[in-house]
Structure formats: structure tokens, C-alpha cells
């Protein structure tokens, strides 16, 4: 189902704004914030989930506390131009647990991945033993993140 923000009313947007900032909020507290009854709020949340506006809920983990001190952005250029082969490579790439995000991009490279490893040695191993051996990789460019200045999953939604 294709949806757009124009099909949402002020209350739907208010619900989304609260949930993206506080995913663990109780339905009762959410209903107080958006000025609806708890059953009406729950019905709206379920509809927003069913229509795909809410794609899931997750805890945001502190990767450094969990020993993942290395974050890298890796650009990948493919030498392949056959759909089946590209799909095969991408399936392998996105299945790697080190890969947190993968984007098809414009420019000099075809894809950009965000990779988390415990240290530089683990990153080197990932690149040398897992990434480079993938068939059809023409070249890669790696940038190590020194400091994250902003990390958010919150979208800039209009004021309700």
C-alpha cells in the first residue's frame, strides 16, 4: 500500500512524533499526550503500523559500551552490470552482521555501507577476508569515523 504524509491527520503525526522519540512509552501515556482515549490511540497506532508508517521498534544500543569501538563508512564500486550477479553480491553483503546499513548511491561508487567492528584489526579482517573476496567488487574506499556529531532516527515531521 502506497501512503503519504498528506493522508495523515494532526493526531497521527503527533503519535508518530512521540513514538519516534519515545518508543517505549505506554499507550496510556501516549494517549494523554495526543489527547485521545487509550483504545482510540491504540487503534491509530495499529493502523499506522499496518499502513507501514511505523516499520518496527528497536532498542538503540551503545556500540562503544558493547566493545564496538570502530565505525567505518565503506564505498563500493561494482564491476558487474548484470542484475542477477549484483543481487547475489548484495544478498551476501547485507547478510554480514558487521554491516549496519547499506545504501545504493549516486556518484563514483555504487554502494555505501556502514560497518561496525570491535577495532581496526577486525575492520581489516572484514575488508580483506569478507568484502574484497566478493565477486564483482571493482574497488572500495574506506573512511573511519573519528567522532559521531549527530546520530538520530527521528524524522523531521511537521508540527501537528
Amino acid at each position: 500500500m502506497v501512503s503519504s504524509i498528506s493522508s495523515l491527520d494532526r493526531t497521527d503525526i503527533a503519535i508518530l512524533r512521540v513514538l519516534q522519540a519515545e518508543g517505549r512509552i505506554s499507550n496510556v501515556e501516549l494517549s494523554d499526550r495526543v489527547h485521545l482515549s487509550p483504545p482510540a490511540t491504540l487503534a491509530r497506532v495499529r493502523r499506522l503500523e499496518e499502513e507501514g508508517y511505523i516499520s518496527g521498534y528497536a532498542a538503540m544500543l551503545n556500540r562503544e559500551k558493547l566493545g564496538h569501538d570502530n565505525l567505518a563508512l565503506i564505498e563500493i564500486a561494482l564491476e558487474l552490470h548484470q542484475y542477477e550477479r549484483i543481487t547475489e553480491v548484495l544478498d551476501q553483503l547485507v547478510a554480514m552482521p558487521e554491516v549496519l546499513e547499506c545504501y545504493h548511491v549516486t556518484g563514483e561508487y555504487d554502494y555505501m555501507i556502514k560497518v561496525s567492528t570491535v577495532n581496526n584489526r577486525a575492520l581489516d579482517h572484514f575488508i580483506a577476508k569478507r568484502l574484497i573476496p566478493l565477486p564483482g567488487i571493482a574497488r572500495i574506499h574506506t573512511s573511519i569515523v573519528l567522532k559521531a556529531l549527530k546520530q538520530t532516527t527521528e524524522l523531521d515531521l511537521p508540527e501537528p
Side-chain angles (χ1 to χ4, degrees):
M1 174 184 289
V2 176
S3 302
S4 72
I5 197 162
S6 62
S7 64
L8 300 177
D9 66 17
R10 295 170 61 93
T11 304
D12 291 334
I13 293 171
I15 289 170
L16 293 173
R17 287 176 66 90
V18 172
L19 285 177
Q20 77 173 346
E22 302 172 56
R24 290 181 48 125
I25 191 171
S26 72
N27 186 59
V28 171
E29 189 175 342
L30 177 60
S31 66
D32 285 343
R33 296 255 198 104
V34 298
H35 311 293
L36 285 179
S37 68
T41 302
L42 185 58
R44 282 183 181 249
V45 170
R46 286 190 176 144
R47 179 181 52 79
L48 291 167
E49 291 169 345
E50 289 167 6
E51 292 178 359
Y53 291 101
I54 299 171
S55 60
Y57 301 88
M60 295 178 66
L61 305 181
N62 183 321
R63 59 179 183 77
E64 282 123 1
K65 280 194 173 273
L66 294 166
H68 282 245
D69 292 330
N70 194 300
L71 188 64
L73 302 173
I74 303 175
E75 296 170 298
I76 301 168
L78 299 180
E79 60 188 20
L80 303 170
H81 297 292
Q82 300 164 328
Y83 177 77
E84 295 79 21
R85 296 291 311 270
I86 292 171
T87 301
E88 183 181 308
V89 170
L90 293 177
D91 287 346
Q92 292 177 55
L93 186 64
V94 299
M96 296 176 182
E98 299 90 346
V99 177
L100 302 178
E101 298 173 25
C102 179
Y103 301 99
H104 188 199
V105 297
T106 61
E108 188 176 338
Y109 292 86
D110 301 307
Y111 296 91
M112 179 180 287
I113 58 175
K114 183 165 108 175
V115 173
S116 178
T117 59
V118 295
N119 55 34
N120 282 340
R121 182 170 298 173
L123 178 62
D124 179 58
H125 182 268
F126 171 78
I127 293 168
K129 303 294 185 194
R130 307 217 35 224
L131 191 57
I132 291 173
L134 288 175
I137 301 290
R139 65 187 188 285
I140 65 170
H141 177 262
T142 303
S143 297
I144 294 176
V145 175
L146 299 176
K147 180 179 179 181
L149 301 176
K150 180 177 181 178
Q151 290 179 286
T152 185
T153 61
E154 293 182 36
L155 298 176
D156 182 23
L157 297 175
E159 291 292 329

